[in-house]
């Protein structure tokens, strides 16, 4: 049955893919974005669709609207952007979350919160499962995002316990693919853009730190599965549990782009996690979630996108 769905941050990287998928499934989608890091270009092909509506709005301001479901994807997710205005990042995660939960309560909508693997901080457990409480610096340069997202999770569960709001909480691990911003400072887009422009590929640290890279289509499958799953609030990890060093990622990008760029090393930023890999046991059990796209396949698609959109 068709639903009326609000996607906050809907013009962003992941949000725009979600808009496409939910429109294709026959739903009515309201895409809300303040265009701080989202781009109208990401959703321009949907604007003539009768079931699609774009609303320029900031979730730190209250919103009155009638919807069946809310996907709360609003918040800059790359360190470059969330650190550029840390107080705004905190407000989006706290005031914005309160506004969206208040809306869900008023209209009796199910709400999914896009939380993050950053709630685990620089983890002392590996891989990270949902019962791990994390190792987070409360006063570091990443804290506006890490702690903001942790408070957002707290708010979700307090609204659920106190007001019976129907919540879903996902923790997103590193995700990549078409529609990433070329200047977002994330490792995949950084390496691809540097390679395509013939610049040195910059690794911070010695490249031994690990990440797990999930292609965006796989992530969207998991997000929608979580929204549609009854009687399961989460939190649940979503991502890919293949683990690669940052140096291995750089070498893949060099090979796939055919660049003559050299790999160079710079100092590691503070609070940068040394290892990051999701334990997907719960996602597989509850959502039958299984990422399908291999890193090389996904990188090839991302490289093609950047080739066509770098100008």
């Amino acid at each position: 049955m068709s639903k009326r769905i609000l996607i906050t941050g809907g013009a962003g990287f992941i949000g725009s893919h979600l808009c496409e998928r939910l429109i294709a499934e026959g739903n009515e989608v309201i895409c809300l974005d303040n265009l701080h890091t989202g781009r109208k270009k990401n959703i321009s092909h949907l604007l003539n669709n009768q079931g699609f509506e774009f609303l320029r709005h900031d979730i730190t301001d209250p919103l009155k609207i009638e919807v069946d479901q809310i996907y709360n994807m609003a918040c800059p997710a790359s360190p470059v952007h969330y650190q550029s205005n840390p107080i705004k990042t905190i407000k989006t995660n706290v005031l914005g979350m309160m506004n969206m939960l208040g809306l869900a309560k008023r209209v009796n909508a199910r709400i999914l919160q896009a939380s993050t693997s950053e709630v685990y901080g620089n983890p002392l457990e590996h891989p990270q499962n949902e019962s791990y409480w994390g190792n987070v610096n409360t006063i570091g340069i990443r804290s506006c995002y890490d702690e903001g997202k942790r408070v957002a999770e707290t708010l979700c569960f307090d609204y659920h316990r106190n007001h019976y709001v129907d919540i879903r909480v996902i923790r997103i691990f590193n995700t990549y693919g078409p529609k990433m911003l070329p200047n977002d400072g994330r490792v995949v887009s950084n390496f691809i853009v540097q390679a395509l422009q013939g610049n040195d590929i910059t690794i911070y640290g010695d490249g031994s730190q690990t990440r797990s890279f999930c292609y965006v289509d796989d992530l969207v499958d998991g997000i929608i599965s979580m929204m549609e799953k009854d009687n399961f609030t989460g939190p649940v990890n979503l991502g890919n549990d293949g683990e690669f060093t940052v140096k291995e990622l750089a070498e893949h990008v060099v090979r796939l782009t055919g660049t003559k760029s050299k790999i160079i090393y710079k100092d590691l930023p503070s609070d940068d996690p040394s290892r990051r890999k999701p334990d997907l046991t719960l996602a597989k059990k509850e959502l039958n979630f299984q990422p399908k796209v291999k890193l090389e396949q996904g990188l090839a698609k991302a490289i093609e996108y950047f080739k066509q959109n770098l100008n």
Side-chain angles (χ1 to χ4, degrees), residues 36-37 75-90 93 118 141-146:
H36 174 47
T37 55
C75 185
S78 75
V80 167
H81 291 127
Y82 68 64
Q83 290 170 25
S84 70
N85 192 342
I87 295 167
K88 178 68 174 175
T89 299
I90 284 273
N93 281 318
E118 296 291 336
I141 58 172
R142 299 169 74 107
S143 306
C144 59
Y145 186 70
D146 303 358

Side-chain angles (χ1 to χ4, degrees), residues 45-57:
H45 60 297
L46 298 173
L47 292 172
N48 291 328
N49 190 304
Q50 280 195 319
F52 184 79
E53 182 182 343
F54 174 69
L55 185 61
R56 186 163 185 172
H57 183 85

Side-chain angles (χ1 to χ4, degrees), residues 100-118:
M100 290 303 104
L101 286 162
L103 172 61
K105 179 189 167 193
R106 279 196 307 278
V107 301
N108 199 28
R110 179 174 291 179
I111 181 168
L112 179 142
Q113 164 62 1
S115 191
T116 170
S117 59
E118 296 291 336

Side-chain angles (χ1 to χ4, degrees), residues 23-265:
I23 281 285
E25 291 178 0
N27 297 291
E28 189 180 341
V29 171
I30 300 153
C31 166
L32 180 151
D33 207 295
N34 67 357
L35 300 181
H36 174 47
T37 55
R39 294 185 296 178
K40 254 191 163 174
K41 177 183 171 187
N42 287 340
I43 47 137
S44 58
H45 60 297
L46 298 173
L47 292 172
N48 291 328
N49 190 304
Q50 280 195 319
F52 184 79
E53 182 182 343
F54 174 69
L55 185 61
R56 186 163 185 172
H57 183 85
D58 192 309
I59 63 165
T60 60
D61 297 319
L63 177 72
K64 290 193 174 173
I65 197 168
E66 298 289 324
V67 290
D68 303 308
Q69 293 180 342
I70 302 165
Y71 289 85
N72 187 35
M73 315 297 293
C75 185
S78 75
V80 167
H81 291 127
Y82 68 64
Q83 290 170 25
S84 70
N85 192 342
I87 295 167
K88 178 68 174 175
T89 299
I90 284 273
K91 283 182 173 178
T92 302
N93 281 318
V94 180
L95 296 179
M97 186 82 255
M98 290 179 77
N99 285 333
M100 290 303 104
L101 286 162
L103 172 61
K105 179 189 167 193
R106 279 196 307 278
V107 301
N108 199 28
R110 179 174 291 179
I111 181 168
L112 179 142
Q113 164 62 1
S115 191
T116 170
S117 59
E118 296 291 336
V119 299
Y120 299 122
N122 189 0
L124 303 176
E125 288 189 10
H126 191 81
Q128 295 81 56
N129 70 36
E130 293 83 356
S131 64
Y132 178 51
W133 290 354
N135 176 42
V136 180
N137 177 2
T138 62
I139 57 170
I141 58 172
R142 299 169 74 107
S143 306
C144 59
Y145 186 70
D146 303 358
E147 294 290 67
K149 289 287 191 179
R150 285 161 70 96
V151 172
E153 287 194 12
T154 303
L155 284 165
C156 284
F157 280 88
D158 284 337
Y159 267 78
H160 177 64
R161 284 185 288 257
N162 286 275
H163 300 299
Y164 309 103
V165 172
D166 192 9
I167 62 163
R168 300 289 181 274
V169 176
I170 58 171
R171 291 175 177 165
I172 298 173
F173 281 68
N174 291 59
T175 302
Y176 70 97
K179 301 186 186 175
M180 293 184 87
L181 288 169
N183 64 340
D184 75 357
R186 293 193 238 195
V187 66
V188 174
S189 49
N190 269 8
F191 288 176
I192 292 173
V193 170
Q194 288 169 341
L196 292 177
Q197 293 179 336
N199 298 324
D200 290 338
I201 291 177
T202 310
I203 290 179
Y204 294 94
D206 61 7
S208 65
Q209 65 269 42
T210 67
R211 296 292 183 270
S212 304
F213 302 102
C214 184
Y215 189 67
V216 65
D217 289 357
D218 285 337
L219 183 78
V220 169
D221 286 343
I223 293 173
I224 294 173
S225 296
M226 181 60 172
M227 178 63 97
E228 296 305 322
K229 172 82 174 178
D230 289 327
N231 305 313
F232 179 55
T233 59
V236 65
N237 292 335
L238 290 180
N240 192 308
D241 53 3
E243 189 177 9
F244 296 87
T245 68
V246 170
K247 185 171 184 284
E248 285 172 329
L249 175 70
E251 288 165 348
H252 276 309
V253 170
V254 167
R255 190 173 69 260
L256 290 168
T257 56
T259 186
K260 296 198 165 37
S261 300
K262 295 196 293 293
I263 296 174
I264 63 167
Y265 298 86

